[in-house]
């Protein structure tokens, strides 16, 4: 029995060349049939008109004759001049009696209603086209008829001559279409073969020489894709190398402190080494968490997750209040103070979790690089007619020179000489969030506290991104 969860067999689709050929040939056959029908109808109509005119001419000749001239023993049928002549019959009726008829005419009236004009009748199992007209004398009626079979035979002969050549040309036309389509699709097939023959690691662009204009956008798109893949792979190689280099330092420090603890001669020396080991583990864990955050943000950027997430609303003031409450104890241990300046709720089109990640990294940098007793202030401003909603983080630390501020956001960039440990990934995460959600980042010197000031601005609704 077939397993219940077995996938149905994949339906094999037609190639583009087969679809094009089938479509063109189907249209060709349909048009040929339509032309055949129209030709048949038009030829039949014209043929009926012509043969009806011949019947009228024959009847006119008979009408001019006197009945006495037609009834005598010396009345002979006309000589056979054409193969269709035997299919034309003549009847002359006088006072309801058949007085004259051709040898192939039936004895029954060709037209039973005896009304003048053209009619189609059936006599003796055979269909006739009959012209009825009165004679010169009183109560004389002339019938001139032709079998429908004769007319059909003439029609088919005309159609064979007209459509026969077209019918014979259909296979040649189909072969020509197949050859043309196959030659036209050859460049596209060549592109497919070139791509299939490439090595997995080959990301150099495909050549554009000889590529038709219709296929050129596909090749250019593939080249753009290869270019993005090169950039992505290069970024991943650089990120992996930098992360491995950065992780080597805390791991080496943890190993060294563990060795110190193993060789300690006193309990205090062992406790000190173990405490340093715990701090090294915390630093490594924090670095790993930052790396995961950055990787997750870049993954959302590649898959287009940020625009969908941007539909969520959050309150800057509520996020800042909660985050400052969580970090207050760590700030007090260093003798630092946290301040929040926010008069009202400030809604922004960014998920609260992403706002928390952004603000946490800004606060962590401000607390880490500010001295003991420093103040870190968070200011939340709502959107106004002349300014968008903003979030500012400023401290009373030493600040940063302009050349260092210009490099903020580079992976693993750190300002030397601060005496603080770190990886430089916090600013990379902040910069990545700003790009994902169209925010602007501004850095400068705090007028009130004297240290670094970082301002994040949200674009107004309907405005282009501020990045």
């Amino acid at each position: 029995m077939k397993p219940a969860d077995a996938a149905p067999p994949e339906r094999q689709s037609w190639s583009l060349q087969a679809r094009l050929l089938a479509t063109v040939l189907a249209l060709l056959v349909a048009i040929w049939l339509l032309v055949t029908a129209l030709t048949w109808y038009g030829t039949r109509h014209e043929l009926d008109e012509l043969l009806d005119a011949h019947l009228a001419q024959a009847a006119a000749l008979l009408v001019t004759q006197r009945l006495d001239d037609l009834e005598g023993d010396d009345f002979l049928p006309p000589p056979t001049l054409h193969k269709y002549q035997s299919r034309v019959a003549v009847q002359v009726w006088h006072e309801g009696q058949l007085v004259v008829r051709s040898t192939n005419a039936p004895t029954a009236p060709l037209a039973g209603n005896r009304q003048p004009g053209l009619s189609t009748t059936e006599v003796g199992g055979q269909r006739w086209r009959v012209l009825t007209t009165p004679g010169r004398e009183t109560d004389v009626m002339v019938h001139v008829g032709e079998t429908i079979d004769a007319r059909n035979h003439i029609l088919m002969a005309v159609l064979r001559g007209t459509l026969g050549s077209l019918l014979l040309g259909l296979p040649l036309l189909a072969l020509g279409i197949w050859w043309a389509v196959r030659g036209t699709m050859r460049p596209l097939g060549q592109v497919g073969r070139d791509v299939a023959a490439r090595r997995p690691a080959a990301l150099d662009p495909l050549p554009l020489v000889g590529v038709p204009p219709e296929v050129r956008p596909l090749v250019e798109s593939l080249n753009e894709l290869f270019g993005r893949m090169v950039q992505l792979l290069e970024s991943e190689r650089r990120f992996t190398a930098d992360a491995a280099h950065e992780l080597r330092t805390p791991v080496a420090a943890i190993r060294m402190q563990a060795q110190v603890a193993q060789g300690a001669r006193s309990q205090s020396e062992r406790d000190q080494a173990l405490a340093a080991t715990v701090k090294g583990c915390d630093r490594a864990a924090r670095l790993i968490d930052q790396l995961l955050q950055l990787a997750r943000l870049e993954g959302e950027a590649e898959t287009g997750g940020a625009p969908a997430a941007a539909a969520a609303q959050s309150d800057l003031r509520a996020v800042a209040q909660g985050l400052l409450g969580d970090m207050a104890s760590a700030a007090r241990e260093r003798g630092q103070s946290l301040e929040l300046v926010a008069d009202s709720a400030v809604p922004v089109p960014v998920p609260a979790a992403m706002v928390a990640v952004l603000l946490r990294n800004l606060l962590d940098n401000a607390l880490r690089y500010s001295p003991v007793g420093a103040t870190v202030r968070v200011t939340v401003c709502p959107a106004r007619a002349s300014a968008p909603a903003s979030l500012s983080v400023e401290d009373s630390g030493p600040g940063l020179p302009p050349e260092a501020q210009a490099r903020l956001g580079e992976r693993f960039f750190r300002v030397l000489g601060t005496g603080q440990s770190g990886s430089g990934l916090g600013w990379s995460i902040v910069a990545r969030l700003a790009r994902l959600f169209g925010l602007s980042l501004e850095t400068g010197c705090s007028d009130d506290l004297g240290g670094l000031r970082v301002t994040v601005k949200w674009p107004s609704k309907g405005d282009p991104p501020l990045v």
Side-chain angles (χ1 to χ4, degrees):
M1 295 180 63
K2 184 178 179 180
D5 55 349
E10 184 178 357
R11 185 177 180 181
Q12 187 176 6
S13 59
W14 287 18
S15 66
L16 188 59
Q17 178 176 326
R19 291 181 183 180
L20 185 58
L21 278 173
T23 303
V24 173
L25 292 178
L27 287 175
L28 176 65
V29 172
I31 292 174
W32 188 88
L33 292 175
L34 179 62
V35 170
T36 300
L38 293 177
T39 303
W40 178 89
Y41 177 80
T43 304
R44 183 61 183 262
H45 177 74
E46 295 300 327
L47 182 63
D48 285 341
E49 292 288 334
L50 177 62
L51 296 179
D52 287 346
H54 289 171
L55 293 180
Q57 289 178 352
L61 291 175
L62 289 175
V63 168
T64 59
Q65 301 293 321
R66 296 183 57 184
L67 186 60
D68 294 339
D69 297 334
L70 296 175
E71 288 181 329
D73 295 335
D74 55 350
F75 176 77
L76 297 175
T80 302
L81 301 177
H82 195 273
K83 62 180 180 179
Y84 291 113
Q85 182 178 337
S86 61
R87 302 186 183 186
V88 178
V90 176
Q91 290 181 339
V92 179
W93 294 79
H94 180 232
E95 295 181 352
Q97 298 296 322
L98 179 60
V99 294
V100 177
R101 73 179 182 91
S102 59
T103 56
N104 62 334
T107 57
L110 289 175
N113 55 9
R114 298 175 58 86
Q115 295 296 324
L118 290 167
S119 61
T120 301
T121 62
E122 183 172 349
V123 179
Q126 193 171 23
R127 299 178 70 239
W128 295 80
R129 179 69 170 173
V130 182
L131 176 65
T132 302
T133 182
R136 291 179 57 187
E137 302 178 16
T138 305
D139 202 17
V140 173
M141 190 66 65
V142 177
H143 300 307
V144 180
E146 184 180 23
T147 60
I148 299 296
D149 290 341
R151 294 195 172 200
N152 291 336
H153 189 272
I154 297 173
L155 176 63
M156 295 306 298
V158 173
L159 291 179
R160 278 195 300 269
T162 304
L163 301 177
S165 57
L166 293 178
L167 183 61
L168 292 176
L170 272 179
L172 296 177
L173 186 57
L175 182 62
I177 291 174
W178 172 82
W179 179 81
V181 170
R182 187 170 180 268
T184 304
M185 298 298 294
R186 186 176 291 113
L188 188 58
Q190 185 61 43
V191 171
R193 288 189 292 272
D194 292 343
V195 174
R198 292 168 69 92
R199 294 177 292 105
L203 295 176
D204 51 298
L206 294 170
L208 293 174
V209 179
V211 177
E214 293 80 6
V215 186
R216 184 177 292 269
L218 173 62
V219 178
E220 291 176 346
S221 298
L222 286 175
N223 290 338
E224 291 178 2
L225 175 62
F226 292 152
R228 291 195 297 269
M229 292 178 65
V230 168
Q231 295 177 358
L232 180 61
L233 291 176
E234 182 62 28
S235 176
E236 291 302 321
R237 292 192 195 100
R238 184 174 65 252
F239 176 74
T240 302
D242 293 343
H245 174 75
E246 191 67 22
L247 284 171
R248 188 181 297 116
T249 301
V251 171
I254 292 171
R255 179 180 177 83
M256 182 185 65
Q257 295 299 333
Q259 290 175 342
V260 171
Q262 286 179 339
R265 299 180 180 179
S266 62
Q267 185 63 36
S268 60
E269 186 178 357
R270 182 179 294 106
D271 292 341
Q272 185 178 1
L274 291 175
T277 302
V278 172
K279 288 183 179 180
C281 291
D282 292 339
R283 180 186 174 192
R286 180 176 177 277
L287 178 60
I288 292 172
D289 182 65
Q290 288 180 318
L291 289 172
L292 292 176
Q293 287 181 359
L294 191 57
R296 183 168 59 251
L297 291 175
E298 290 184 344
E300 291 179 354
E302 294 296 332
T303 58
Q313 294 283 332
S314 61
D315 182 7
L316 278 182
R317 184 179 67 171
V319 174
Q321 287 175 342
L323 196 56
L324 264 64
D326 295 339
M327 303 182 71
S329 59
R332 283 195 297 268
E333 291 179 0
R334 296 174 53 89
Q336 299 170 331
S337 61
L338 293 174
E339 296 180 359
L340 174 63
V341 179
D343 298 332
S344 61
V346 180
V348 292
V350 178
M354 295 293 102
V355 176
V357 170
L358 185 147
L359 183 55
R360 183 185 296 110
N361 282 279
L362 291 177
L363 286 175
D364 184 71
N365 283 339
L367 293 173
R368 182 180 297 274
Y369 294 101
S370 295
V372 176
T375 299
V376 177
R377 181 183 300 158
V378 178
T379 304
V380 177
C381 297
R384 298 183 179 89
S386 58
S390 63
L391 170 69
S392 298
V393 178
E394 49 189 333
D395 57 65
S396 56
L400 288 178
E403 59 272 14
Q405 293 182 24
R407 296 191 61 189
L408 288 175
E410 296 181 8
R411 280 174 169 171
F412 303 107
F413 168 73
R414 292 173 56 197
V415 180
L416 302 179
T418 60
Q420 297 294 328
S421 62
S423 61
L425 284 176
W427 257 102
S428 297
I429 295 173
V430 171
R432 190 56 175 160
L433 278 169
R435 286 193 295 270
L436 283 175
F437 293 99
L439 314 179
S440 69
L441 286 176
E442 298 177 1
T443 58
C445 181
S446 173
D447 296 333
D448 295 336
L449 301 181
L452 180 67
R453 184 189 72 249
V454 181
T455 302
V456 183
K457 293 183 179 180
W458 272 259
S460 301
K461 190 174 182 180
D463 291 347
L466 297 172
V467 175

